[in-house]
Amino acid sequence: MKKEEFMRKAIELSIENIENGGGPFGAVIVKGGKIVATGVNRVTDSCDPTAHAEVCAIRAAAKKLGTFNLSGCEIYTSCEPCPMCLGAIYWARLDKMYYANTKTDAMNIGFDDSFIYDELELKLTERKLQSEQLLRNEALKAFEAWSNNNEKIEY
């Protein structure tokens, strides 16, 4: 299959998902020229704010391939990813991302992530989400244990 065919599949999934009560987003993960996994936006259906198409596709691909490292894979997504999904794509180590609609296109239909980008530029004390650090010294024990664990699987 060609790149355009994989993207058409992501777009097809996004349209079908609307008909099934979900949001207008679809994603396809490809490895070696074959679709490994797909995902659609199921936020409202699953009552899971992280159930975006890209995250769902990453979860399915990781499970199918038996690894958290999706190097060697590419993602085709019907829309430029939100900050959460973009972070997940980086953490999954996907080789390349293709997208169709832009974040501006998404904003124009009510999916506006610009507030998150704006918040990330601010100091913690200036953000809308109030934050307070607690018990750092106690929490550092877990990081020390991780650092000293010779059997850890780094990711």
Side-chain angles (χ1 to χ4, degrees), residues 43 48-55 58-59 81-91 113 116-117:
V43 169
D48 179 355
T50 68
H52 290 200
E54 298 89 343
V55 171
I58 289 168
R59 288 173 180 162
C82 74
M84 176 186 70
C85 292
L86 186 59
I89 289 166
Y90 275 104
W91 279 114
D113 300 322
I116 298 173
Y117 291 107

Side-chain angles (χ1 to χ4, degrees), residues 41-101:
N41 183 291
R42 299 310 296 168
V43 169
T44 56
D45 180 57
S46 66
C47 297
D48 179 355
T50 68
H52 290 200
E54 298 89 343
V55 171
C56 291
I58 289 168
R59 288 173 180 162
K63 184 174 183 177
K64 183 173 184 178
L65 297 173
T67 181
F68 57 84
N69 184 335
L70 298 180
S71 296
C73 296
E74 300 175 332
I75 189 166
Y76 294 78
T77 179
S78 65
C79 187
E80 185 177 0
C82 74
M84 176 186 70
C85 292
L86 186 59
I89 289 166
Y90 275 104
W91 279 114
R93 295 177 181 86
L94 291 156
D95 289 356
K96 189 165 185 177
M97 175 181 72
Y98 299 90
Y99 65 93
N101 292 317

Side-chain angles (χ1 to χ4, degrees), residues 134-143:
L134 293 173
L135 304 176
R136 178 176 179 259
N137 290 335
E138 291 180 33
L140 282 173
K141 291 176 186 173
F143 283 9

